[in-house]
Amino acid sequence: MSTLRMTSDLRRQLILSAAKRCFARNGFAGTTTKSVAAAAAISEGLLFKHFPSKAALYAEILAEECEADPDLAHLLGQEPSTGTLVELVKGMVGHFMHISDGADEEEAQRIRLMTTSHLDDGEFARLLYSKVGDLIGPVFTASIERAIAAGDAAQIGNEPLNLFWFAHHTVLMAALTRLPAVPCLSYGNAADVERQLCQFILRGIGLNEAAIVSHLDCELSPNSGQSVTAESA
């Protein structure tokens, strides 16, 4: 039984490795499950036993990249606290603003794919939201609870994870406005926009001004834009 399980796990990893090569070479639209199966030297039917669709394959690859990101892994390993909560928000804002500055076209394409999914069948967006929620949600909600207990935040509603998604939707939309060659909106100076977005989100999730000043006035991490935080989410 355990040998069969190991074989199945190994096959799953081989499929993911083949899919990464295909997506890197042909992009999401140009890759088919048939081409991935061929690259993995298996039948398309066997591929579907592990991944029901191309979107599921791509979402799994992105989730693995998130988990492997050292900056994000370090942050998620921190003790839940007000400071951790602020760092999560700063990292998410920095990540999305970094993408929309045109510094990473591959990530920009992923945002476009995520957005298109909402207007199509929603499969890719649902899969990615689920994976990002499982990865980041527990630390975010635990940090919210610690911030409330410490007197740094007021409770906003009864579903703390919703606050994470509201923050995510805010930065995703802000990034979308800046993706075209001619931005849909001009927010002004990039550093000022990041700080303003952070303030807006932190107030919206319930942090008080003293906590925001105490934690946000620390200089934004120079690597904050490098973390993969869910476009991907």
Side-chain angles (χ1 to χ4, degrees):
M1 180 77 166
S2 102
T3 303
L4 287 173
R5 182 178 142 95
M6 282 174 30
T7 302
S8 177
D9 289 344
L10 177 59
R11 184 177 293 117
R12 181 183 176 87
Q13 287 305 312
L14 289 173
I15 292 170
L16 286 172
S17 295
K20 286 177 187 177
R21 295 194 300 272
C22 291
F23 286 129
R25 184 168 59 248
N26 303 312
F28 182 82
T31 297
T32 64
T33 51
K34 185 174 181 179
S35 66
V36 172
I42 60 171
S43 69
E44 197 174 8
L46 185 54
L47 183 149
F48 285 139
K49 288 185 178 179
H50 293 271
F51 299 97
S53 66
K54 181 172 72 169
L57 257 175
Y58 197 61
E60 183 69 22
I61 289 170
L62 293 186
E64 283 196 351
E65 289 181 2
C66 280
E67 292 173 0
D69 183 277
D71 292 330
L72 182 59
H74 172 76
L75 184 53
L76 295 180
Q78 298 302 300
E79 185 72 18
S81 66
T82 304
T84 298
L85 181 64
V86 173
E87 286 300 320
L88 277 170
V89 170
K90 286 162 63 175
M92 181 162 58
V93 168
H95 171 69
F96 277 90
M97 292 300 97
H98 169 78
I99 294 171
S100 62
D101 282 341
D104 192 331
E105 182 55 33
E106 184 178 352
E107 288 284 0
Q109 289 297 333
R110 290 173 179 175
I111 286 188
R112 293 185 178 97
L113 175 61
M114 183 71 165
T115 306
T116 301
S117 178
H118 286 79
L119 303 175
D120 194 6
D121 61 9
E123 180 192 13
F124 176 70
R126 282 193 299 273
L127 288 165
L128 203 55
Y129 281 140
S130 175
K131 292 182 181 299
V132 170
D134 288 345
L135 181 64
I136 302 175
V139 175
F140 182 91
T141 54
S143 293
I144 283 276
E145 291 168 1
R146 293 287 179 87
I148 293 170
D152 291 332
Q155 183 170 327
I156 306 294
N158 297 315
E159 297 289 344
L161 187 59
N162 282 350
L163 301 177
F164 172 74
W165 293 125
F166 298 157
H168 174 273
H169 303 336
T170 299
V171 291
L172 174 60
M173 195 64 214
L176 278 176
T177 66
R178 307 200 316 171
L179 277 186
V182 178
C184 305
L185 280 173
S186 176
Y187 291 121
N189 179 272
D192 291 342
V193 171
E194 284 195 30
R195 193 174 191 284
Q196 193 173 18
L197 261 175
C198 288
Q199 289 174 320
F200 179 81
I201 290 169
L202 292 171
R203 288 175 181 138
I205 64 178
L207 262 67
N208 59 42
E209 291 302 311
I212 292 173
V213 168
S214 172
H215 294 280
L216 188 59
D217 278 353
C218 300
E219 184 179 355
L220 283 170
S221 167
N223 295 320
S224 63
Q226 302 301 320
S227 295
V228 179
T229 322
E231 62 279 0
S232 33

